[in-house]
């Protein structure tokens, strides 16, 4: 039986995708080494309700070096991070000589904006990206203490798309307790489990996302470590996220948004077995319908190309068993993915120019979280008669 990584109670499995490769393990053509696989399965803690993977991929296997993840490569995300930094500057970083800390480097978008406003800033980033601007280590109690001694207390510790990756999340909260000023806040934004259920966005589930947060589970986790959940904010990015703010117990009261979201999660029955089992059943239906659609289109002689070799696409392709016979290539703007093969399913990744050379009949949109941006950019594809295939919240063609 699996134990909760937050509170040690039993975790009840509700979805098993089977043995999957690592979502960022793109291969070079001709590589023959056996791919590492692990069981991608999700469960919910019977006590604190934290949704989590049942099997953790060892840290050493999840090296980000070589396949850096750059959210802010997307224009929308770049603007989102700039806006985020400006919000912090006006709302939290207003005292004399404030100090801003980020966990997980972010192309420097947030750090640059904060620095340009004259605020001291630092990021913890173990991959070494952002050299010279970062503390090259994981954020934990030891590294938090080092920075606290050298720089003094932080007013904000911020993390985007990072804390949901950290199975040993208690060390992050302990580190925050060391580094944060008495009235400081730990702010983090990650995919929201409520949104995953709402949209059946099962492809948010992959090796790097260990936790799938809700307001309820985050509050329970915070309380175990001397913090409280004091604010939540819905973010439209990456298919629906929540930004959680944690403060030391008793220093700030929860906003109305916290009370409302907790009540909404309760009334939706978000963590009830019927909801979770319903999700699992819908995921299986999507698999059947997507594979049937791709087989039919291929049989009829249509050409289907994948758009965006996202980490999410690894779950879809491997769970559905979709290979080059159904989707002969995937286009992606990330140079380090181009010329390689998708993990497990070995579909060649081509640069974006291949998309229009010539346009396919259908494009399977794996980067659906950037749909608006992508579709606006690729208007000529539609004008040439092309159609998009989406599988979230259900299989449909637009
Ligand atoms: N914040 C960026 C964004 O939203 O685009 C990057 C997100 S990326 C998925 C996660 C980053 O956090 C990676 O660069 C990884 O190396 C880093 N990371 C993971 N665990 C960390 C930890 N415990 N402390 C500091 N950085 C960590
Ligand atoms: P993400 O969903 O994790 O942000 O990853 C997006 C992936 O999709 C990344 O590999 C880059 C790729 N992509 C494109 O190829 N073209 C685009 O226009 C966008 C927005 C993303
Ligand atoms: Zn638990």
């Amino acid at each position: 039986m699996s134990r909760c990584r937050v509170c040690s109670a039993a975790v009840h499995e509700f979805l098993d995708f089977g043995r999957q490769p690592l979502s960022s393990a793109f291969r070079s053509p001709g590589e023959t080494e056996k791919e590492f696989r692990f069981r991608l399965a999700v469960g919910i803690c019977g006590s604190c309700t934290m949704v989590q993977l049942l099997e953790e991929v060892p840290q050493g296997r999840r090296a980000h070096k070589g396949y850096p993840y750059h959210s802010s490569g997307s224009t929308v995300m770049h603007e989102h991070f700039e806006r985020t930094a400006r919000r912090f500057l006006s709302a939290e970083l207003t005292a004399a000589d404030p100090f801003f800390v980020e966990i997980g480097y972010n192309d420097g978008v947030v750090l640059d904006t904060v620095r340009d406003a004259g605020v001291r800033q630092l990021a913890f980033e173990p991959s070494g990206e952002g050299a010279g601007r970062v503390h090259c280590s994981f954020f934990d109690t030891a590294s938090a203490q080092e920075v606290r001694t050298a720089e003094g207390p932080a007013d904000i510790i911020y993390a985007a798309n990072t804390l949901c990756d950290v199975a040993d999340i208690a060390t992050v909260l302990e580190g925050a307790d060391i580094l944060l000023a008495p009235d400081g806040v730990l702010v983090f934004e990650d995919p929201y489990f409520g949104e995953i259920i709402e949209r059946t966005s099962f492809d948010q589930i992959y090796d790097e996302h260990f936790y799938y947060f809700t307001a309820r589970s985050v509050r329970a986790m915070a309380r175990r470590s001397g913090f409280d959940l004091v604010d939540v904010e819905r973010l439209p990015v990456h298919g629906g996220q929540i930004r959680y703010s944690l403060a030391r117990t008793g220093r700030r009261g929860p906003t109305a948004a916290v009370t409302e979201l907790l009540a909404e999660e309760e009334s939706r029955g978000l963590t009830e077995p019927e909801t979770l089992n319903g999700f699992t059943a819908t995921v299986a239906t999507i698999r059947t319908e997507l594979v049937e659609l791709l087989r039919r289109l291929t049989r009829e002689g249509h050409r289907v190309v994948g758009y965006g070799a996202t980490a999410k696409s690894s779950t879809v392709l491997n769970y559905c068993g979709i290979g080059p016979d159904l989707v002969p290539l995937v286009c992606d703007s990330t140079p380090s993915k181009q010329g390689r093969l998708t993990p497990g399913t070995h579909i060649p990744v081509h640069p974006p120019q291949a998309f229009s050379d010539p346009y396919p009949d259908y494009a399977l949109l794996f980067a659906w979280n950037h749909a608006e941006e992508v579709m606006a950019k690729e208007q000529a594809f539609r004008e040439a008669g092309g159609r998009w295939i989406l599988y979230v919240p259900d299989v449909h063609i637009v």
Side-chain angles (χ1 to χ4, degrees):
M1 188 219 304
S2 194
R3 294 265 161 211
C4 174
R5 293 297 297 267
V6 175
C7 79
S8 302
V11 174
H12 308 293
E13 180 176 324
F14 60 84
L15 180 52
D16 181 4
F17 288 109
R19 296 196 70 74
Q20 295 248 355
L22 301 184
S23 60
S24 60
F26 290 81
R27 276 161 84 86
S28 298
E31 225 175 286
T32 50
E33 201 185 316
K34 203 164 172 266
E35 282 171 294
F36 171 82
R37 285 184 183 261
F38 77 110
R39 190 169 83 95
L40 181 64
V42 207
I44 185 163
C45 172
S47 177
C48 76
T49 73
M50 184 63 84
V51 176
Q52 56 200 280
L53 294 190
L54 277 97
E55 214 178 279
E56 181 193 357
V57 175
Q59 194 56 252
R61 293 243 174 223
R62 301 198 291 146
H64 264 275
K65 263 189 197 155
Y67 299 104
Y69 173 95
H70 291 152
S71 269
S72 41
S74 137
T75 323
V76 171
M77 290 309 300
H78 196 282
E79 284 165 8
H80 166 76
F81 287 126
E82 259 183 18
R83 205 164 40 242
T84 300
R86 278 197 290 271
R87 272 269 300 280
F88 286 146
L89 286 166
S90 61
E92 299 283 345
L93 299 169
T94 50
D97 190 25
F99 182 32
F100 175 84
V101 168
E102 182 162 10
I103 306 177
Y105 186 65
N106 177 22
D107 296 20
V109 177
V110 177
L111 284 191
D112 284 351
T113 314
V114 169
R115 179 198 55 197
D116 292 349
V119 169
R120 279 189 301 133
Q121 29 74 41
L122 176 134
F124 288 82
E125 175 52 66
S127 74
E129 264 205 278
R133 308 196 49 199
V134 302
H135 195 83
C136 189
S137 69
F138 285 97
F139 180 80
D140 55 23
T141 48
S143 59
Q145 186 61 61
E146 246 177 79
V147 170
R148 165 83 205 216
T149 306
E151 304 269 352
D155 298 281
I156 299 183
I157 301 176
Y158 168 68
N161 305 300
T162 298
L163 293 203
C164 70
D165 297 6
V166 184
D168 199 5
I169 198 164
T171 61
V172 172
L173 292 167
E174 282 170 38
D177 192 27
I178 292 169
L179 184 53
L180 273 182
D183 279 320
V185 273
L186 170 64
V187 182
F188 56 100
E189 56 197 61
D190 289 287
Y192 178 45
F193 185 63
E195 202 68 48
I196 294 175
I197 291 286
E198 178 80 24
R199 302 192 195 204
T200 321
S201 44
F202 65 99
D203 55 349
Q204 295 278 10
I205 301 169
Y206 55 87
D207 55 348
E208 284 165 25
H209 289 167
F210 187 83
Y211 291 113
Y212 304 86
F213 299 132
T214 62
R216 182 174 170 188
S217 62
V218 167
R219 184 177 65 166
M221 175 177 75
R223 287 183 169 173
R224 295 177 65 82
S225 300
F227 287 93
D228 209 353
L229 176 62
V230 296
D231 196 21
V232 288
E233 185 188 350
R234 286 177 192 274
L235 305 173
V237 299
H238 280 317
Q241 299 203 324
I242 296 237
R243 176 179 291 159
Y244 304 90
S245 298
L246 270 47
R248 292 182 199 284
T249 309
R251 305 299 290 212
R252 297 186 193 200
T255 58
V258 173
T259 321
E260 279 162 24
L261 189 59
L262 287 165
E264 183 188 309
E265 289 178 356
E266 176 78 30
S267 71
R268 279 177 69 185
L270 189 56
T271 50
E272 298 300 321
E274 306 80 69
T275 307
L276 303 175
N277 294 336
F279 170 70
T280 304
T282 313
V283 171
T285 303
I286 290 178
R287 167 164 69 173
T288 307
E289 292 184 1
L290 181 60
V291 172
E292 274 174 9
L293 173 66
L294 294 175
R295 284 198 184 133
R296 177 172 67 76
L297 293 175
T298 305
R299 225 177 20 245
E300 291 171 356
H302 298 295
R303 189 165 157 263
V304 184
V305 153
Y307 199 104
T310 56
K312 296 187 285 297
S313 71
S314 179
T315 296
V316 181
L317 292 169
N318 285 286
Y319 170 64
C320 298
I322 298 168
D325 51 329
L326 295 177
V327 177
L329 67 97
V330 182
C331 297
D332 194 284
S333 56
T334 316
S336 58
K337 295 180 183 176
Q338 295 160 7
R340 313 199 98 171
L341 307 174
T342 58
T345 50
H346 304 169
I347 301 174
V349 182
H350 288 225
Q353 301 84 289
F355 188 56
S356 55
D357 188 25
Y359 280 126
D361 303 300
Y362 293 88
L364 179 52
L365 185 55
F366 292 120
W368 58 262
N369 48 317
H370 304 290
E372 225 173 280
E373 186 173 344
V374 169
M375 287 183 188
K377 194 166 63 181
E378 300 292 0
Q379 220 161 355
F381 165 61
R382 282 298 304 259
E383 283 159 15
R387 291 286 174 270
W388 295 100
I389 301 174
L390 287 123
Y391 49 84
V392 165
D394 50 24
V395 178
H396 61 286
I397 297 174
V398 294

